[in-house]
Amino acid sequence: MITLLTYLIRIRFRKIFGKDDYLAIFLFLLSIGVLLYFLNKNYSQYANFSLFFLFEIATIHSNRKDLELLKLSPNFSTILFLEYSIYSIPILVLLLINQKFIGIIFIFISIVFITRITKIHQRMLHYPFKMFDPFWVISFRKNKLVLFFPLIFLFGYMGFKYNNENLYYAVLVFFGAIASIPSFEREEIIHIKASYYIGKNYLFQQFKVSCFNFIYLGFLLGILFVILQQWFLLALIPILLFFPMLNLLFKYAFFERKIIHSIFFALFLGNIIYGFPLLLIPFLYFKAIKNLNKIQNA
């Protein structure tokens, strides 16, 4: 069991850093150590956010391709629990230093819960999304995004219980990020060319579908805030539609350069607090329409 566990961890590091790139691994571990040092100095301010690390564990688990093979081992659940616990060591150390034993127990219980989800039978899940943009369904099925909603609701409840507004805002940001994921996918060029809608009409149809599908997701978050009686946050939900709409502009403005799309989208959101990135929206809009016309007329 130890041999298999070691093998799985080595594979995980190789996927991130390449084979035997010990310098990259050392720098990565060093950066984690530095990050933990600063988090520990400001623990009272960022304490609850450390638990969002569970999102990363859930993502790793949902994207695994080796679960069916691992099930052949009699110690299947134990191996997964130990592997995810090792990945959680930085957060566990941070909680241990600050004597947050309930947080440690919560992480271990969450890991046990995650390891029990071996596979979601997608035929049992019917997503009520409009299929003009099929990537809403594809993204939710491929990335199992539905798994993140129980955690979003949990952290929303924690924000209510501990009267922590930062947790509420973090929930809103994560929700907006999830709604933006389908916009990172790209349809085949032939599908754009064959569409009945041309240029800006095609873009408007994408906006319309994203708005429609967002309403379904926003309804779930709205239920949470109604239960918690957070009326101000309820009013903020429509503003989150800005995330997927903006990402659509970046998608078609940089349709053939996915990496540039991702980098610029992150930079835009990272600097939006200063206001000046908003001036770029008209440029993105016209560039997106220009690219669509170019694709459809090629």
Side-chain angles (χ1 to χ4, degrees):
M1 184 176 72
I2 300 299
T3 302
L4 179 57
L5 179 61
T6 304
Y7 180 70
L8 291 173
I9 295 174
R10 289 179 63 185
I11 289 177
R12 177 66 54 185
F13 272 92
R14 285 180 179 178
K15 285 182 178 179
I16 301 175
F17 305 108
K19 184 178 180 180
D20 299 329
D21 191 348
Y22 297 112
L23 177 60
I25 294 175
F26 171 76
L27 292 175
F28 173 72
L29 295 176
L30 179 63
S31 64
I32 289 180
V34 173
L35 179 62
L36 283 177
Y37 172 77
F38 285 106
L39 283 177
N40 185 56
K41 291 190 68 173
N42 301 279
Y43 183 79
S44 59
Q45 184 176 357
Y46 299 106
N48 293 319
F49 288 99
S50 63
L51 297 179
F52 275 104
F53 179 78
L54 291 171
F55 279 99
E56 178 65 19
I57 297 297
T59 301
I60 292 173
H61 185 71
S62 65
N63 291 328
R64 295 192 77 124
K65 308 292 186 196
D66 56 358
L67 288 178
E68 294 298 325
L69 185 61
L70 287 175
K71 279 194 220 178
L72 299 177
S73 171
N75 301 313
F76 165 70
S77 297
T78 304
I79 291 172
L80 287 180
F81 175 80
L82 291 175
E83 182 184 358
Y84 297 152
S85 295
I86 290 173
Y87 298 154
S88 304
I89 284 177
I91 300 301
L92 293 173
V93 169
L94 181 64
L95 293 173
L96 184 61
I97 291 174
N98 291 276
Q99 299 181 356
K100 301 296 181 180
F101 302 112
I102 294 180
I104 294 174
I105 294 173
F106 174 76
I107 285 182
F108 282 135
I109 292 176
S110 299
I111 291 175
V112 170
F113 173 76
I114 291 172
T115 59
R116 297 295 179 182
I117 306 174
T118 57
K119 184 178 181 181
I120 291 183
H121 299 283
Q122 300 293 352
R123 293 179 182 177
M124 299 175 60
L125 293 175
H126 175 69
Y127 296 101
F129 299 137
K130 279 191 173 296
M131 292 302 291
F132 183 85
D133 182 359
F135 291 114
W136 279 82
V137 173
I138 292 172
S139 295
F140 268 77
R141 288 182 174 175
K142 182 176 71 173
N143 301 309
K144 300 180 178 63
L145 298 179
V146 71
L147 293 178
F148 294 103
F149 281 88
L151 291 175
I152 286 177
F153 296 156
L154 174 62
F155 287 115
Y157 169 74
M158 289 176 60
F160 174 77
K161 183 177 180 180
Y162 297 105
N163 194 27
N164 190 327
E165 290 187 357
N166 289 329
L167 276 179
Y168 288 140
Y169 295 134
V171 165
L172 291 171
V173 170
F174 272 98
F175 184 84
I178 289 175
S180 301
I181 288 176
S183 304
F184 283 104
E185 303 290 345
R186 278 157 170 70
E187 62 268 45
E188 296 292 337
I189 291 180
I190 188 63
H191 294 158
I192 300 178
K193 288 185 175 182
S195 175
Y196 170 80
Y197 300 99
I198 306 298
K200 68 178 181 180
N201 291 326
Y202 185 88
L203 182 61
F204 284 150
Q205 283 299 313
Q206 292 285 357
F207 283 153
K208 185 189 300 183
V209 170
S210 290
C211 182
F212 182 90
N213 293 337
F214 178 86
I215 289 174
Y216 279 106
L217 296 182
F219 182 74
L220 296 176
L221 192 61
I223 291 176
L224 172 65
F225 290 149
V226 167
I227 293 174
L228 300 180
Q229 298 183 356
Q230 299 298 313
W231 312 116
F232 174 70
L233 295 174
L234 190 65
L236 292 180
I237 293 178
I239 298 177
L240 298 179
L241 182 60
F242 176 77
F243 283 74
M245 293 297 192
L246 176 67
N247 205 28
L248 280 172
L249 289 179
F250 274 103
K251 171 183 175 178
Y252 292 111
F254 304 99
F255 189 79
E256 297 179 351
R257 293 180 288 178
K258 192 172 183 178
I259 299 298
I260 298 298
H261 162 198
S262 301
I263 293 174
F264 280 8
F265 181 67
L267 289 174
F268 188 103
L269 293 181
N271 293 278
I272 197 172
I273 189 174
Y274 302 110
F276 67 85
L278 297 175
L279 300 175
L280 298 176
I281 291 180
F283 166 77
L284 291 171
Y285 172 74
F286 288 113
K287 183 172 175 57
I289 293 177
K290 181 179 179 180
N291 276 353
L292 285 171
N293 286 327
K294 180 180 177 181
I295 291 171
Q296 292 177 325
N297 295 327

